[in-house]
Amino acid sequence: MTASFTYNANPGRVVFGSGTIERVGPELERLGVRRAMVLSTPAQQSDAAALASRLGDGAAGVFAGATMHTPVEVTEAALAALEGSGADGLVALGGGSTTGLGKALAIRTGLPHLAIPTTYAGSEMTPILGETENGEKRTRSDPRILPNTVIYDVDLTLGLPAGMSATSGLNAIAHAVEALYARDRNPIVSLMAVEAVAKLAAALPAIVANPADHDARDDALYGAWLCGTCLGSVGMALHHKLCHTLGGSFDLPHAETHGVMLPHALAFNAAASPEAIGRLAPVLGADSASALQQLARRIGAPTSLAALGMPESGIDRAADLAMANPYWNPRPLDRDSIRALLARAWAGEPVAA
Ligand code: NAD
């Protein structure tokens, strides 16, 4: 029996493959863009410059100041660079930080936005933007935030270091896992979520063994696209709330925090989410939460908040924050259980319900 559901598709265009960087020019043309500003982080400035020179007259310049958490000061500096540059479009080349800057500029200027993701974070498939100002992070969702076109070029991910591939891949898996028990889950998004977890869980160990494994990179990027689609389509729950709280309050690294927390959040929700556990079982086994923790260990990702630099004294504060304005969650939250979950995650202990 198929239960009733609502399915809301986001209207983005996706070009996926190897060597698809060649398609940037024609895809910009398709968007009506004559001269695009290329965005990147400082670390990927030379890749952005190479893309700009490939575009020739189609590039209006490079702004290589993107950074984590989309600070408003950086967005303002980029707006100043846009002014007078003649740019009538944006190309964001990089991970979630660069995509975030592209989104922040697109929503302010209305310019068309083409994203070229080089990590597995998935931001390019969502209409969500988190920005920071005066140390506070504010998140909003608006259909105009969704990039117009996304070009996935597997070749650009071959240089993503093994450690970042592992944590970024676990970050992606977290979107798919939470989509399976989302309040507004639906059969289409659940199909994508299961396929995504299967592809990434198989590909990540192969990538860590050989970061240049092209087939595994294909599967991981395809899985990451699906995970991003899940994140952009249905609501997230306890796991994402905990990661946002920990990231914001203790300045913990984004992808690594997801990798540590996901097995604990899934174990907490398992009994209240039989449908999700049933869908994950063929892919991860009957105890999918423990399987995810083993996967993290196997691919060398951190498995404790202590290893990420969180002080033990922060556990109580994190529990209080997680209980304040909680997201919807399949299992009701109580402070003692959340504190116990955080204590296990801090120490890197095995998962428990
Ligand atoms: P990131 O974009 O900060 O990248 C980390 C570093 O890796 C950067 O220096 C980057 O230049 C470099 N890098 C990226 N790709 C590379 C590659 N292929 N080879 C070598 N170096 C590479 O990290 P991220 O994890 O992709 O993104 C995290 C940010 O994205 C966070 O701010 C998070 O909040 C945001 N995010 C937002 C959404 C959303 O829907 N709004 C979703 C996921 C993540």
Side-chain angles (χ1 to χ4, degrees):
M1 192 197 88
T2 301
S4 60
F5 62 86
T6 302
Y7 171 64
N8 187 26
N10 289 323
R13 172 176 166 90
V14 170
V15 175
F16 186 98
S18 176
T20 44
I21 194 90
E22 303 276 352
R23 300 274 296 275
V24 176
E27 288 296 327
L28 284 172
E29 213 172 294
R30 196 176 172 278
L31 289 171
V33 174
R34 282 175 298 107
R35 298 185 77 216
M37 177 67 77
V38 182
L39 311 171
S40 75
T41 60
Q44 289 177 289
Q45 181 160 17
S46 59
D47 297 332
L51 176 57
S53 79
R54 177 194 289 272
L55 290 174
D57 288 344
V62 170
F63 179 86
T67 186
M68 280 287 253
H69 307 309
T70 326
V72 169
E73 313 85 82
V74 171
T75 302
E76 281 164 0
L79 283 170
L82 272 177
E83 248 187 54
S85 71
D88 60 356
L90 304 161
V91 173
L93 174 70
S97 297
T98 306
T99 310
L101 175 61
K103 289 173 163 183
L105 294 173
I107 188 77
R108 283 168 174 78
T109 61
L111 292 180
H113 177 196
L114 185 154
I116 310 171
T118 61
T119 69
Y120 304 134
S123 174
E124 67 281 357
M125 295 310 296
T126 82
I128 308 162
L129 170 63
E131 297 180 278
T132 46
E133 189 166 24
N134 305 324
E136 249 186 65
K137 184 158 185 168
R138 257 178 288 159
T139 301
R140 56 180 155 152
S141 182
D142 187 311
R144 292 170 300 161
I145 288 171
L146 184 76
N148 304 77
T149 301
V150 178
I151 295 184
Y152 289 101
D153 187 340
V154 176
D155 300 356
L156 302 179
T157 64
L158 295 173
L160 188 65
M164 276 180 62
S165 302
T167 53
S168 191
L170 293 172
N171 180 190
I173 289 176
H175 310 327
V177 166
E178 288 232 293
L180 286 170
Y181 54 61
R183 179 165 44 175
D184 52 354
R185 66 185 174 277
N186 63 69
I188 309 299
V189 169
S190 294
L191 277 176
M192 294 188 202
V194 171
E195 170 84 346
V197 176
K199 291 290 182 199
L200 278 161
L204 294 178
I207 288 171
V208 169
N210 173 18
D213 181 332
H214 213 289
D215 290 347
R217 289 289 190 184
D218 280 341
D219 283 350
L221 194 60
Y222 169 63
W225 165 42
L226 295 173
C227 290
T229 306
C230 292
L231 177 67
S233 304
V234 296
M236 296 287 117
L238 174 67
H239 167 75
H240 280 75
K241 170 73 182 182
L242 289 173
C243 290
H244 290 165
T245 300
L246 292 165
S249 309
F250 303 97
D251 201 24
L252 301 188
H254 179 84
E256 287 82 345
T257 307
H258 275 271
V260 172
M261 295 308 297
L262 180 63
H264 295 280
L266 179 58
F268 180 86
N269 280 329
S273 316
E275 184 193 322
I277 294 300
R279 285 187 186 262
L280 285 171
V283 176
L284 293 175
D287 183 356
S288 40
S290 296
L292 284 173
Q293 202 172 38
Q294 280 154 21
L295 174 66
R297 284 211 182 88
R298 189 171 159 211
I299 60 180
T303 51
S304 78
L305 295 176
L308 303 186
M310 178 174 155
E312 189 171 11
S313 59
I315 294 173
D316 274 302
R317 198 169 126 232
D320 288 339
L321 290 169
M323 294 303 295
N325 309 316
Y327 296 5
W328 177 86
N329 192 59
R331 173 177 161 188
L333 307 186
D334 66 276
R335 192 187 180 283
D336 286 352
S337 305
I338 294 302
R339 194 201 180 281
L341 182 163
L342 284 162
R344 280 191 295 277
W346 182 83
E349 288 171 6
V351 300

